[in-house]
């Protein structure tokens, strides 16, 4: 969806500080010009996936009884035995993955509203979304790689351009003077620049940048993974150890991108492992023990290094984020592979199933516009104080009230802007999927 490093960023882009990836200072929602009543909420970093079609395990065919056939004159050759661990063939959407993505998006909005440091430990949304995207990418690469990459970029960029137009114009109106780095607002291979006025809106773009790089690297990563699946999966945690203990990346866009790639590389490769049926072949005891060990190490490191960041928030500690997400997401993906979980039961609740469908079909829109919705909720609630009845009966000072107003505004943005995702996917534009 978030889903980083302490990177001060590029002061040349704006004088008030500019940061990318993890480790951003917490700051309150709203702009200084909105006086209003004080709100206790604070911004706590970024958090973040991605929509694309999923698959469900192949459904068993119905039993049947064949009519006896005459014996052949010669003995037929024996049929080849089925491979028990072969990965299932995609036949439709997988509600387990759809539900995980929807919950991840809800957690992103919740985290950006309340700033709870423990939220990333309860549900590491960004690691989950990178793993789901890795699974889909491995599935898509059954087709020619260039065609797949072009399709992924086409689905990503139009919603980004549409959203970015409003953000860039607003920053220009508020005094932003862009340089050549504005090209990153066209193709976000690096963090797009901006000024402090719009920082809360564009700060989440680290996820798009990381996702785009993973898409471009996936043909090579998948080829390397298939040479030695289990070994490559384990070694995919090595880059974050190198970045953290042996070599400090440069303090620029390249260093920020490299750190985020190292942080979530395991989760992306884990998606490959799920798609290729590697997880099904692993022993449950080994998977559980190693996953819990990774979670334990990530949690231990986060709690014992609070003095460096002022918090145990995983978004501020890339090493802890990498290991916690690796263990947590492995358990989720292994449960899917081992127990064949499909979440078909919740589909009987039509309203809940409808919400999951909308969240998945409008995941890009929801992720891009949710910060703007939360920002606009502050001046909107300020106006409520001018209505005596609202001031008396509504909990205007509550973060939960702002959370609710934020979701109302998110719904409005989905209705107004979600059609861009249909256009990007070469579908007929619709108000709702």
């Amino acid at each position: 969806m978030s889903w980083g490093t302490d990177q001060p960023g590029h002061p040349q882009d704006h004088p008030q500080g500019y940061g990318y990836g993890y480790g951003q200072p917490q700051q309150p929602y709203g702009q200084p010009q909105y006086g209003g009543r004080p709100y206790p909420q604070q911004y706590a970093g970024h958090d973040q996936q991605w929509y694309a079609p999923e698959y469900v395990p192949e459904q068993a065919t119905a039993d049947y009884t064949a009519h006896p056939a005459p014996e052949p004159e010669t003995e037929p050759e024996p049929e080849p035995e089925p491979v028990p661990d072969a990965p299932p063939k995609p036949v439709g959407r997988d509600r387990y993955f759809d539900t995980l993505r929807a919950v991840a998006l809800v957690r992103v909005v919740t985290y950006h509203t309340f700033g709870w440091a423990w939220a990333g430990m309860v549900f590491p949304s960004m690691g989950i979304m990178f793993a789901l995207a890795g699974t889909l990418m491995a599935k898509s690469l059954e087709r020619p790689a260039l065609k797949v990459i072009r399709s992924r970029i086409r689905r990503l960029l139009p919603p980004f351009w549409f959203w970015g137009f409003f953000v860039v114009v607003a920053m220009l109106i508020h005094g932003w003077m862009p340089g050549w780095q504005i090209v990153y607002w066209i193709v976000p291979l690096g963090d797009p620049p901006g000024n402090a006025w719009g920082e809360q809106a564009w700060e989440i773009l680290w996820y798009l940048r990381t996702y785009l790089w993973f898409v471009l690297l996936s043909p090579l990563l998948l080829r390397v993974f298939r040479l030695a699946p289990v070994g490559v999966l384990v070694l995919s945690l090595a880059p974050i150890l190198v970045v953290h203990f042996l070599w400090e990346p440069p303090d620029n866009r390249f260093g920020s991108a490299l750190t985020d790639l190292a942080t979530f590389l395991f989760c992306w490769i884990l998606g490959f492992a799920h798609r290729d049926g590697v997880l099904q072949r692993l022993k449950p005891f080994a998977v559980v023990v190693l996953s819990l060990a990774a979670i334990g190490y990530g949690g231990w490191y986060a709690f014992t290094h609070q003095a460096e960041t002022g918090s145990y928030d995983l978004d501020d500690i890339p090493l802890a984020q990498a290991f916690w997400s690796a263990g947590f997401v492995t358990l989720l993906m292994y449960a899917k592979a081992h127990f064949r979980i499909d979440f078909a039961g919740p589909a009987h609740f039509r309203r809940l199933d409808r919400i999951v469908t909308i969240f998945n079909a409008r995941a890009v829109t929801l992720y891009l516009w949710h910060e703007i919705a939360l920002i606009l909720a502050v001046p909107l609630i300020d106006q409520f104080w001018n209505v005596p009845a609202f001031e008396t009966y509504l909990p205007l000072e509550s973060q939960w009230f702002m959370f609710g107003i934020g979701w109302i505004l998110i719904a409005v943005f989905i209705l107004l802007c979600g059609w861009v995702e249909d256009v990007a996917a070469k579908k007929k534009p619709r108000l709702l999927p």
Side-chain angles (χ1 to χ4, degrees):
M1 134 328 99
S2 28
W3 346 239
T5 62
D6 288 327
Q7 299 292 345
H10 309 276
Q12 67 271 21
D13 290 329
H14 61 78
Q16 300 187 37
Y18 179 45
Y20 304 99
Y22 286 94
Q24 302 308 317
Q26 297 180 348
Q27 48 186 305
Y29 279 103
Q31 305 304 329
Q33 62 266 32
Y34 297 116
R37 305 304 195 271
Y39 293 97
Q41 71 276 5
Q42 61 180 358
Y43 179 73
H46 47 65
D47 220 9
Q48 87 315 155
Q49 166 261 223
W50 226 234
Y51 168 70
E54 309 284 4
Y55 70 92
V56 295
E58 183 178 14
Q59 298 179 352
T61 56
D63 296 334
Y64 66 92
T65 304
H67 294 288
E71 295 184 1
E73 296 180 0
T74 59
E75 184 178 357
E77 296 181 1
E79 297 182 359
E81 295 183 1
V83 181
D85 293 327
K89 297 179 181 180
V91 297
R93 294 198 61 85
D94 189 324
R95 234 31 182 172
Y96 181 76
F97 286 165
D98 284 352
T99 303
L100 286 181
R101 183 180 291 104
V103 174
L105 290 169
V106 172
R107 210 281 289 162
V108 168
V109 178
T110 304
Y111 174 77
H112 284 164
T113 304
F114 298 96
W116 293 326
W118 49 264
M121 292 185 169
V122 173
F123 200 78
S125 293
M126 305 320 292
I128 290 171
M129 297 210 297
F130 278 118
L132 298 182
T135 296
L136 299 174
M137 195 64 190
K139 171 188 173 183
S140 298
L141 284 174
E142 296 171 0
R143 297 178 288 132
L146 186 60
K147 182 178 180 180
V148 172
I149 292 174
R150 186 167 58 246
S151 174
R152 285 287 188 271
I153 294 176
R154 188 192 70 240
R155 286 173 175 264
L156 174 66
L157 291 185
F160 166 67
W161 291 335
F162 183 80
W163 171 88
F165 172 79
F166 295 96
V167 176
V168 168
V169 170
M171 289 192 298
L172 291 173
I173 293 174
H174 287 81
W176 179 47
M177 291 293 294
W180 69 265
Q181 296 90 347
I182 198 173
V183 298
Y184 293 119
W185 280 101
I186 301 174
V187 180
L189 292 175
D191 295 285
N195 61 4
W197 185 89
E199 185 173 0
Q200 291 177 219
W202 52 253
E203 200 172 34
I204 61 173
L205 294 179
W206 73 270
Y207 175 78
L208 273 69
R209 175 253 294 153
T210 307
Y211 172 84
L212 183 57
W213 273 111
F214 273 135
V215 167
L216 296 175
L217 294 172
S218 281
L220 175 62
L221 291 175
L222 186 59
R223 181 174 299 181
V224 173
F225 167 77
R226 286 173 174 169
L227 296 176
V230 176
V232 172
L233 179 62
V234 174
L235 288 176
S236 61
L237 283 171
I240 189 61
L241 294 172
V242 172
V243 166
H244 191 83
F245 292 110
L246 300 179
W247 175 70
E248 183 178 356
D251 184 16
N252 54 26
R253 284 183 172 87
F254 173 76
S256 178
L258 195 62
T259 301
D260 288 341
L261 285 170
T263 301
F264 295 104
L265 178 62
F266 180 92
C267 293
W268 191 271
I269 299 295
L270 183 66
F272 293 172
H274 178 271
R275 173 62 190 173
D276 281 9
V278 175
L279 294 183
Q280 291 95 314
R281 298 193 292 270
L282 300 179
K283 300 296 183 182
F285 179 79
V287 172
V288 172
V289 170
L290 293 176
S291 297
L292 293 179
I295 292 174
Y297 177 71
W300 169 82
Y301 194 89
F303 282 105
T304 56
H305 290 75
Q306 296 185 59
E308 300 174 6
T309 62
S311 172
Y312 60 88
D313 193 330
L314 296 179
D315 283 357
D316 298 329
I317 312 172
L319 182 68
Q321 173 75 281
F323 276 86
W324 186 280
S325 297
F328 197 103
V329 180
T330 297
L331 292 177
L332 287 178
M333 300 292 280
Y334 186 75
K336 166 65 180 173
H338 187 73
F339 297 106
R340 305 291 187 182
I341 303 174
D342 58 8
F343 273 17
H348 296 297
F349 300 94
R350 297 184 60 183
R351 292 184 179 179
L352 179 60
D353 187 67
R354 178 65 171 156
I355 292 175
V356 171
T357 298
I358 294 173
F359 275 33
N360 278 268
R362 296 291 184 257
V364 182
T365 301
L366 196 160
Y367 181 77
L368 286 173
W369 290 92
H370 82 274
E371 281 280 27
I372 295 179
L374 293 175
I375 293 171
L376 293 179
V378 174
L380 178 60
I381 295 174
D382 280 343
Q383 299 304 313
F384 288 0
W385 288 95
N386 298 325
V387 181
F390 290 171
E391 182 180 2
T392 302
Y393 297 109
L394 294 180
L396 301 182
E397 294 183 351
S398 171
Q399 284 180 277
W400 287 100
F401 185 75
M402 193 193 77
F403 184 63
I405 296 296
W407 275 109
I408 293 174
L409 294 176
I410 289 172
V412 172
F413 283 126
I414 288 176
L415 292 174
L416 294 178
C417 309
W419 59 270
V420 182
E421 290 195 62
D422 293 330
V423 174
K426 295 184 176 180
K427 299 178 181 178
K428 180 180 179 181
R430 302 181 62 181
L431 193 64
L432 282 177

